[in-house]
Amino acid sequence: EEADTERVRQKKELNQVISERDILGTQLVRRNDELALLYEKIKIQQSMLNKGEIQYRQRVDDIRLLRVEIRKLRREKSILSKSVSNLDDLRREVYHVQKELLKERTRCRALEEELENPMNVHRWRKLEASDPSRYELILKVQTLQKRLIAKTEDVVEKELLLQEKEKLYVELK
C-alpha cells in the first residue's frame, strides 16, 4: 500500500511537472513570437532611420547649394547696383555728347551753305562803293543767317530736352 501511495504521489508530481513544462513551453513560444515581432519592429525602424538620414543629407546638400546660389545672387546684385549708378553718369554724358554733336552739325550745315552761297563781304569790297543797298542786304542776310543758326541750335537743345523728358516719362511708367 505504501508503494501505491508513493506511486500516486509520484504520478501527481509527474503530472504537475508535465503541466509546468507545457506552461513554460507555451510561454516560450509566446516569448519567441514577441521577440520575432520586436526584431521586425527594429528592422522597420532601422529602415526608417536610414531613409531619414538619407533625406537629411539631401536637405543639407540642398541648403548648401541654396547658400551658394544666394551668395551668387548677392554678388550679381552688387554688380548690377554699381552698373545702375554708372548708368546715370553715362546717360548724362550721352545727353551732353548728343547736344554737342547737334551743335556741330548745325555749324557744319551753316558753313556748307555759306560755301555754296558765298557772302563774304571782304571778297567783294567793290560792292561797298558801287551798290550800298546790296552791301546792306548782304549784311542783313549774314545777320539773319546768324540768328537762324542760333535759333536752330536752341531748337536742337529743346528737342534734346524733350527727348530726355520723354525717356524719363517712359521709364517712370
Side-chain angles (χ1 to χ4, degrees), residues 5 13 17 47 54 60 66 71-72 74 81 89 93 98 110 112 121 123 128 136 142 149 151-152 157 161 172:
T5 46
E13 204 175 303
V17 168
S47 169
I54 290 170
V60 167
L66 288 173
R71 281 195 295 270
K72 180 180 143 195
R74 283 184 179 156
S81 296
D89 295 338
E93 188 177 338
Q98 282 179 341
E112 285 174 357
V121 177
R123 272 197 265 168
E128 250 179 82
E136 289 170 7
Q142 285 181 342
I149 290 171
K151 293 292 181 183
T152 307
E157 285 181 27
L161 282 172
L172 290 176

Side-chain angles (χ1 to χ4, degrees), residues 140-156:
K140 193 167 194 163
V141 165
Q142 285 181 342
T143 55
L144 287 174
Q145 281 182 336
K146 287 178 186 174
R147 282 179 49 200
L148 178 65
I149 290 171
K151 293 292 181 183
T152 307
E153 287 177 355
D154 288 343
V155 167
V156 166

Side-chain angles (χ1 to χ4, degrees), residues 82-99:
K82 289 176 185 175
S83 68
V84 165
S85 65
N86 292 343
L87 188 64
D88 292 335
D89 295 338
L90 291 175
R91 280 187 183 156
R92 273 189 238 109
E93 188 177 338
V94 164
Y95 171 74
H96 291 298
V97 168
Q98 282 179 341
K99 186 176 174 182

Side-chain angles (χ1 to χ4, degrees), residues 33-90:
D33 289 345
E34 287 176 14
L35 187 61
L37 188 61
L38 287 175
Y39 277 131
E40 191 63 32
K41 284 182 181 178
I42 287 173
K43 275 186 187 176
I44 290 171
Q45 288 181 348
Q46 188 65 41
S47 169
M48 290 174 65
L49 182 64
N50 290 340
K51 287 179 185 175
E53 285 177 356
I54 290 170
Q55 287 179 350
Y56 174 77
R57 276 190 241 111
Q58 287 174 345
R59 294 304 152 256
V60 167
D61 287 344
D62 290 347
I63 289 171
R64 185 182 52 77
L65 291 174
L66 288 173
R67 284 185 179 155
V68 168
E69 185 70 21
I70 287 171
R71 281 195 295 270
K72 180 180 143 195
L73 289 174
R74 283 184 179 156
R75 275 195 304 272
E76 285 182 26
K77 180 188 170 226
S78 68
I79 290 170
L80 289 175
S81 296
K82 289 176 185 175
S83 68
V84 165
S85 65
N86 292 343
L87 188 64
D88 292 335
D89 295 338
L90 291 175

